[in-house]
């Protein structure tokens, strides 16, 4: 799924345009027991309510592909998976009018939440637990034709893309407070209210690929990029979770450190980030291109160009294939954080603008290793301008 496809769907959620047709909701208590369900025609919603619903759905499409947003496919076609796919298709094709399919999806999401939160059944204090609001939205967009020059023909479309978007929102009880009552001009104790928070989970079905539907995959949203949600995906969709972004980064760094050893230097990391960041920036210029993905062989080539010895590069390739699997691709954004360059030492943390990472260098002076940063321009300490010692000029200069 590329940036243009994702942006196209997010534009559909503009509350002013009221593109989606219907919203179905399911509200359950902290034990997963149903409290109520409802169906809303988007065109009939009050303006402020529509804005708030659309904001929740937009959150379920937020973040970067490969981090908060993970394309996940149904790896096998078991009877259980076929039934889930059939219900997803029925919900989509009916515009959420197939009540049996909609109820099936709600029940499976609740089953996933119970599997992921086994303590739901043992919570004693209801006020300390979350209730759950599960929202489903249906929409159909026209896929615009593109001319030979790549420009969109705004007047014509040759196909449509119909989809279901789900937002799974924790509902939390507001804290006790005093609220102003304009009728008698004083403050009263506020009645305890349950407020829907931004979604922590969600999904888009089917996956939108190059303007077409991939009905064997969905785009899974997780607010926490550190969490794989294996129990939820297995219980809800019989799907296997992919390694979460943070774990991919940590595992990759471990392979890199173990294989490169002492050749895993600051200079190599600077070269690697510069090369991969440039590749990502070039890819991002084309909004129709998929996010940059790298194999172990791709990274090995970058390491070679960074001056890493051949035997170390081979060790990295072997380690990568052993841990991730031969031919596995990783999102480049999980290998190199293009928007930051951070150096950590015991008791010291240095954050450099990626465009100025080359200012950092290591050097051995009088038998001791130093990290050097040349001073250019003014220096501030906690916002306070300070002065650095001036370099003494040689005679005649």
């Amino acid at each position: 799924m590329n940036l243009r496809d994702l942006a196209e769907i997010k534009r559909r959620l503009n509350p002013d345009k009221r593109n989606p047709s219907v919203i179905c909701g399911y509200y359950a208590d902290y034990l997963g027991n149903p409290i109520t369900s409802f169906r809303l025609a988007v065109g009939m919603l009050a303006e402020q309510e529509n804005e708030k619903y659309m904001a929740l759905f937009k959150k379920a499409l937020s973040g970067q592909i490969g981090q908060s947003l993970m394309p996940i496919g149904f790896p096998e076609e078991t009877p259980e998976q076929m039934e889930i796919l059939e219900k997803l298709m029925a919900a989509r094709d009916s515009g959420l009018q197939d009540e049996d399919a909609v109820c099936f999806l709600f029940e499976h999401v609740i089953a996933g939440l119970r599997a992921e939160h086994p303590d739901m059944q043992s919570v004693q204090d209801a006020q300390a637990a979350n209730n759950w609001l599960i929202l489903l939205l249906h929409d159909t967009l026209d896929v615009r034709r593109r001319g030979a020059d790549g420009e969109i023909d705004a007047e014509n479309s040759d196909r449509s893309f119909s989809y279901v978007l789900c937002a799974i929102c924790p509902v939390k009880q507001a804290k006790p407070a005093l609220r102003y009552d304009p009728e008698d001009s004083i403050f009263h104790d506020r009645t305890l209210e349950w407020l829907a928070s931004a979604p922590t989970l969600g999904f888009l079905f089917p996956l939108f690929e190059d303007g077409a539907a991939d009905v064997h995959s969905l785009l899974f949203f997780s607010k926490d990029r550190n969490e794989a949600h294996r129990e939820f995906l297995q219980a809800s969709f019989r799907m296997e979770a992919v390694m979460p972004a943070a774990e991919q980064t940590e595992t990759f760094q471990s392979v890199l450190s173990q294989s490169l050893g002492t050749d895993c230097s600051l200079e190599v990391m600077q070269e690697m980030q510069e090369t991969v960041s440039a590749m990502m920036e070039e890819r991002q210029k084309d909004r129709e291109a998929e996010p940059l993905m790298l194999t172990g062989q791709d990274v090995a080539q970058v390491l070679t160009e960074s001056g890493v010895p051949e035997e170390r590069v081979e060790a990295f390739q072997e380690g990568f294939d052993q841990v991730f699997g031969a031919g596995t691709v990783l999102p480049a954004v999980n290998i190199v954080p293009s928007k930051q360059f951070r150096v950590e030492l015991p008791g010291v943390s240095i954050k450099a603008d990626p465009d100025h990472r080359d200012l950092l260098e290591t050097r051995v002076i009088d038998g001791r290793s130093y990290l050097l940063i040349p001073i250019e321009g003014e220096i501030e300490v906690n916002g306070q301008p300070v002065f650095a010692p001036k370099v003494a000029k040689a005679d005649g200069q």
Side-chain angles (χ1 to χ4, degrees):
M1 189 164 187
N2 58 46
L3 294 176
R4 181 180 62 82
D5 292 339
L6 183 59
E8 180 72 16
I9 294 176
K10 292 173 78 170
R11 279 195 295 270
R12 300 284 300 177
L13 304 179
N14 185 331
D16 295 333
K17 297 183 178 181
R18 295 183 183 258
N19 289 311
S21 57
V22 64
I23 294 172
C24 291
Y26 184 94
Y27 183 39
D29 66 15
Y30 66 100
L31 296 173
N33 300 315
I35 297 176
T36 188
S37 60
F38 54 87
R39 179 186 302 273
L40 302 170
V42 174
M44 301 299 291
L45 286 174
E47 181 178 348
Q48 290 186 340
E49 288 182 356
N50 184 44
E51 288 178 355
K52 289 178 172 57
Y53 276 113
M54 292 303 114
L56 292 176
F57 282 113
K58 278 187 176 181
K59 285 289 187 181
L61 291 175
S62 61
Q64 295 191 61
I65 298 173
Q67 292 196 324
S68 297
L69 296 170
M70 287 287 192
I72 305 179
F74 290 88
E76 301 174 3
E77 293 187 352
T78 64
E80 284 184 311
Q81 287 179 336
M82 288 297 294
E83 182 183 18
I84 294 170
L85 275 172
E86 288 173 0
K87 296 300 184 182
L88 283 167
M89 292 288 289
R92 183 199 70 161
D93 294 344
S94 69
L96 298 181
Q97 298 300 316
D98 187 325
E99 293 188 7
D100 177 65
V102 170
C103 289
F104 178 93
L105 294 180
F106 283 144
E107 290 170 0
H108 271 62
V109 169
I110 287 296
L113 292 172
R114 284 180 173 144
E116 185 159 296
H117 303 279
D119 56 343
M120 286 174 66
Q121 302 295 332
S122 62
V123 175
Q124 301 298 319
D125 183 4
Q127 295 184 2
N130 296 332
N131 289 350
W132 294 96
L133 173 62
I134 307 166
L135 296 171
L136 293 174
L137 171 150
H138 177 264
D139 183 30
T140 301
L141 64 89
D142 291 330
V143 180
R144 302 298 180 185
R145 293 178 180 175
R146 287 182 175 266
D149 58 358
E151 294 297 320
I152 294 177
D153 181 355
E155 301 298 328
N156 299 291
S157 65
D158 54 5
R159 59 190 182 278
S160 61
F161 174 71
S162 176
Y163 65 92
V164 170
L165 178 60
C166 177
I168 303 169
C169 310
V171 181
K172 302 179 181 181
Q173 201 167 50
K175 295 180 179 180
L178 293 174
R179 62 179 294 273
Y180 179 70
D181 187 343
E183 293 185 2
D184 54 14
S185 300
I186 61 174
F187 285 81
H188 294 291
D189 184 34
R190 181 179 67 182
T191 302
L192 293 180
E193 300 172 304
W194 289 90
L195 305 177
S197 303
T200 55
L201 298 172
F203 66 86
L204 170 75
F205 175 85
L207 194 65
F208 193 31
E209 286 280 18
D210 296 325
D214 177 2
V215 296
H216 294 282
S217 302
L218 56 78
L219 186 66
F220 180 66
F221 165 75
S222 171
K223 183 180 179 181
D224 184 359
R225 61 186 292 268
N226 297 310
E227 179 57 55
H229 301 286
R230 292 182 174 85
E231 294 82 5
F232 175 86
L233 286 167
Q234 182 59 228
S236 295
F237 302 110
R238 304 299 184 266
M239 295 177 117
E240 296 299 325
V242 298
M243 184 183 293
E247 186 177 343
Q248 286 183 10
T249 300
E250 183 179 346
T251 304
F252 174 83
Q253 291 174 343
S254 177
V255 171
L256 199 65
S257 296
Q258 293 177 14
S259 57
L260 266 61
T262 56
D263 288 301
C264 190
S265 64
L266 173 66
E267 290 73 21
V268 167
M269 292 298 98
Q270 288 170 321
E271 288 288 334
M272 183 174 173
Q273 181 165 46
E274 181 177 357
T275 301
V276 177
S277 294
M279 294 166 65
M280 285 192 284
E281 290 173 6
E282 185 64 27
R283 179 64 66 92
Q284 290 169 359
K285 292 178 181 178
D286 182 2
R287 294 180 63 81
E288 294 187 37
E290 301 291 332
L292 180 63
M293 308 289 286
L294 298 176
T295 65
Q297 188 173 359
D298 294 330
V299 179
Q301 179 63 34
V302 173
L303 293 174
T304 299
E305 294 173 356
S306 301
V308 176
E310 182 179 352
E311 62 273 14
R312 296 288 198 183
V313 174
E314 292 177 355
F316 165 79
Q317 181 75 71
E318 293 176 2
F320 183 97
D321 292 346
Q322 182 177 359
V323 172
F324 292 105
T328 297
V329 294
L330 298 180
V333 69
N334 295 341
I335 293 176
V336 170
S338 60
K339 296 183 179 180
Q340 66 175 4
F341 190 80
R342 188 174 68 249
V343 180
E344 302 282 351
L345 294 85
V348 178
S349 178
I350 301 171
K351 293 183 180 180
D353 186 314
D355 293 334
H356 296 89
R357 54 182 165 257
D358 57 333
L359 293 178
L360 303 178
E361 63 175 304
T362 56
R363 189 179 301 175
V364 176
I365 303 175
D366 295 331
R368 187 173 182 180
S369 298
Y370 286 86
L371 177 64
L372 303 182
I373 308 173
I375 298 174
E376 295 182 357
E378 298 179 351
I379 305 175
E380 291 186 358
V381 176
N382 296 329
Q384 171 65 50
V386 297
F387 294 91
K390 300 291 184 180
V391 177
K393 293 184 178 181
D395 292 340
Q397 295 184 351

